[in-house]
Amino acid sequence: MSDHSTDFDFQQGRWRVKHRRLKARLAGCTEWEEFEGTSEQRPLLGGNGNVEDNLLHLPGGDYRAVALPSFDSASGTWAIWWLDARQPHQLDVPVIGRFEDGVGSFFAEDMHEGRPVRLRFQWHTANPQAPRWEQALSDDGGATWETNWVMDFTRA
């Protein structure tokens, strides 16, 4: 057995990212905005963590953010933390989960515009040279999901 989890090894290195996100969340919106970005990921904690440094070229202006996945070998789960440079003193609630059959699914209880929601991140890694990340929200406890952000990665 390895001394660290290899689940996020696919993401190591530099990437170009195509972003698509809904203009409004949980509002019946079907209008998407698209923009570019970059991402660079490297391991931490002896391979049981990673730091993913992101530059997003939003239509309203660029910003940086960091994803910080960390692995708990006792539970076999990952927690993914998000730090947005526009709110540099606030870590978002971590999503927690694991990879199975090439899909990583991570969940959290969160708030959206003052109401409780279930948050889901999914990593699709069937093609490790072109992984996809998706974010979805549910306002009915996970019975239905609205995917509101998609990131498609290609090697830089």
Side-chain angles (χ1 to χ4, degrees):
M1 176 145 187
S2 173
D3 64 348
H4 72 277
S5 176
T6 60
D7 291 333
F8 276 99
D9 285 1
F10 72 91
Q11 196 189 9
Q12 305 225 356
R14 298 178 68 202
W15 300 87
R16 288 184 305 279
V17 185
K18 292 188 71 116
H19 295 264
R20 283 184 62 226
R21 72 176 186 177
L22 283 178
K23 288 192 172 185
R25 297 176 182 169
L26 296 177
C29 180
T30 58
E31 189 176 354
W32 293 82
E33 62 184 351
E34 297 185 10
F35 53 95
E36 300 292 319
T38 60
S39 178
E40 186 169 356
Q41 192 248 32
R42 65 179 180 85
L44 299 170
L45 305 171
N48 284 318
N50 301 291
V51 62
E52 176 191 335
D53 187 16
N54 295 278
L55 174 59
L56 296 91
H57 301 296
L58 289 171
D62 293 353
Y63 84 96
R64 290 196 167 272
V66 171
L68 183 63
S70 61
F71 185 69
D72 179 355
S73 59
S75 66
T77 60
W78 286 89
I80 304 173
W81 306 83
W82 183 253
L83 177 61
D84 184 324
R86 298 169 299 180
Q87 299 173 334
H89 292 175
Q90 178 181 324
L91 279 174
D92 284 354
V93 60
V95 290
I96 298 174
R98 63 174 38 97
F99 283 85
E100 293 180 13
D101 300 322
V103 178
S105 297
F106 309 89
F107 300 90
E109 302 301 322
D110 203 357
M111 298 293 287
H112 176 69
E113 297 181 348
R115 61 183 173 163
V117 294
R118 188 122 167 95
L119 171 63
R120 179 182 74 197
F121 288 4
Q122 284 191 322
W123 274 103
H124 299 272
T125 63
N127 179 355
Q129 294 305 308
R132 170 178 274 201
W133 174 88
E134 297 177 356
Q135 175 180 277
L137 292 177
S138 173
D139 60 3
D140 59 11
T144 61
W145 293 93
E146 175 191 82
T147 300
N148 58 55
W149 198 320
V150 177
M151 296 167 60
D152 287 308
F153 290 73
T154 56
R155 288 274 175 206

